[in-house]
Each structure stands twice: as structure tokens, then as C-alpha cells.
């Protein structure tokens, strides 16, 4: 029963795809191809993320992370979260394992929210593409609007969580 619980989403997805194939084979095959494409993308992205996580875990002591990104880190923590999130490459799901390690290392939750927001919105390659394709005015304006927006949203999220909820989130990350 434990195995079914663990893989219930996979079983549900497989059931949905089989049901789609029963109704329309071409759409079902398209769904299978999309699933395989996503799986291949994850296989390429996730291993380097975990290698970097291992290095981060070994090379950067918890005290350093707390000093620069933990409670009381202030503007330095915010800037580091934005820089680390913007310098990242890969899809957003690559940010979550890193966020988990950040939680284990004592990074302030609002800085983790900023990191995830920066990862999803202010990536350097995306900025360079926008610069060349849409012009400097658009790229810089978008960045100038997005960064304060990310910070505000992160602090709003942080303030909406009670102290107990923050502790629960950190405890869940610690147990992973």
C-alpha cells in the first residue's frame, strides 16, 4: 500500500493517458511524447543541480549562509538571493532543491522566496535575450519593475505566514 501511495500521481497520470488513448490514439501519443520530452529535460537538468547542491552543502558552512542570507542579513541577503536566482539556469523546478538546502542552511525564508522569484523572473540569459530582441528600454524597464515586485511579494508572503507556519516549513525541509 505504501508503494501505491508513493506512486499514486504516476498511476493517475498513466490512467489518464490510457483513457485519452482509448478515446483518441493520436492525442494520446502526443501526450506520451510530451511526457517523455519533459522527462528527458528533467534528466538533463536535475543531475547538475544535485552536484551543485552537494558542493554547496560541503563547501559553504551553515554559519556563512546564516551570516549572509539568514535572519538579520538585511540588504546583503536580499542582493545575494537576487544574484543567485538570476545567475541560475534551468527550469523553475531546479530551484526547489536549492531552496531546500538553503532552508537547511538557515537562510531566511523571505530570502528564499526572493531567490525563487529571481530564478523564475530575472535570469541573466533571459535578460540578454530581451536586450537583443526587444531592446534595452524594455529589458531594463521589466527588470526595474520585476525586482521590487519580487521583493514586495516575498515580504508579503513572509508576513502572511505565522511563526508556527514558518517553523513547520523549515522543519519539513529539515526532514527531507
Amino acid at each position: 500500500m505504501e508503494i501505491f501511495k508513493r506512486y499514486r500521481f504516476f498511476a493517475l497520470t498513466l490512467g489518464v493517458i490510457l483513457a485519452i488513448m482509448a478515446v483518441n490514439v493520436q492525442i494520446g501519443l502526443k501526450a506520451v511524447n510530451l511526457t517523455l520530452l519533459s522527462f528527458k529535460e528533467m534528466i538533463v537538468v536535475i543531475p547538475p543541480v544535485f552536484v551543485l547542491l552537494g558542493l554547496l552543502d560541503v563547501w559553504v558552512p551553515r554559519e556563512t549562509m546564516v551570516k549572509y542570507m539568514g535572519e538579520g542579513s538585511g540588504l546583503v541577503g536580499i542582493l545575494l538571493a537576487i544574484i543567485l536566482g538570476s545567475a541560475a539556469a534551468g527550469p523553475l523546478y531546479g530551484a526547489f532543491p536549492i531552496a531546500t538546502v538553503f532552508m537547511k542552511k538557515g537562510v531566511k525564508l523571505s530570502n528564499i522566496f526572493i531567490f525563487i522569484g529571481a530564478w523564475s523572473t530575472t535570469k541573466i540569459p533571459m535578460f540578454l535575450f530581451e536586450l537583443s530582441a526587444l531592446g534595452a528600454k524594455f529589458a531594463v524597464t521589466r527588470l526595474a519593475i520585476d525586482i521590487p515586485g519580487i521583493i514586495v511579494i516575498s515580504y508579503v508572503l513572509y508576513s502572511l505566514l505565522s511563526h508556527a507556519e514558518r517553523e513547520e516549513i523549515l522543519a519539513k525541509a529539515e526532514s527531507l
Side-chain angles (χ1 to χ4, degrees):
M1 209 48 168
E2 185 67 30
I3 287 179
F4 181 74
K5 255 185 168 178
R6 186 176 190 160
Y7 296 106
R8 67 180 176 253
F9 184 73
F10 173 76
L12 178 70
T13 304
L14 186 64
V16 168
I17 288 176
L18 289 174
I20 290 172
M21 285 184 101
V23 174
N24 187 329
V25 175
Q26 286 206 332
I27 292 176
L29 288 175
K30 197 172 185 178
V32 168
N33 285 335
L34 271 172
T35 303
L36 290 175
L37 189 69
S38 296
F39 187 72
K40 285 179 195 171
E41 183 183 293
M42 282 181 60
I43 291 294
V44 170
V45 169
I46 292 297
V49 168
F50 279 100
V51 168
L52 291 174
L53 280 177
L55 295 174
L56 174 72
D57 204 23
V58 172
W59 287 350
V60 182
R62 181 181 169 85
E63 298 77 29
T64 304
M65 292 298 287
V66 169
K67 179 180 175 185
Y68 292 111
M69 293 182 77
E71 293 289 335
S73 61
L75 188 59
V76 172
I78 293 170
L79 289 175
L80 279 173
I82 290 171
I83 290 168
L84 290 172
S86 297
L92 183 59
Y93 58 76
F96 297 119
I98 296 172
T100 303
V101 170
F102 280 177
M103 284 186 222
K104 289 179 179 179
K105 293 271 187 181
V107 172
K108 186 178 176 184
L109 208 50
S110 62
N111 288 338
I112 293 171
F113 294 154
I114 292 170
F115 167 77
I116 292 172
W119 184 299
S120 68
T121 310
T122 62
K123 287 183 187 165
I124 293 170
M126 187 166 59
F127 176 74
L128 296 175
F129 170 76
E130 288 174 355
L131 207 57
S132 66
L134 301 171
K137 187 177 178 184
F138 175 85
V140 171
T141 302
R142 191 187 67 79
L143 208 59
I145 292 170
D146 285 347
I147 290 176
I150 289 168
I151 294 169
V152 168
I153 289 169
S154 299
Y155 275 94
V156 167
L157 281 175
Y158 184 79
S159 66
L160 288 175
L161 293 171
S162 68
H163 181 74
E165 289 170 325
R166 289 182 213 143
E167 291 300 319
E168 184 182 336
I169 290 170
L170 296 175
K172 282 183 180 174
E174 197 65 41
S175 69
L176 293 175

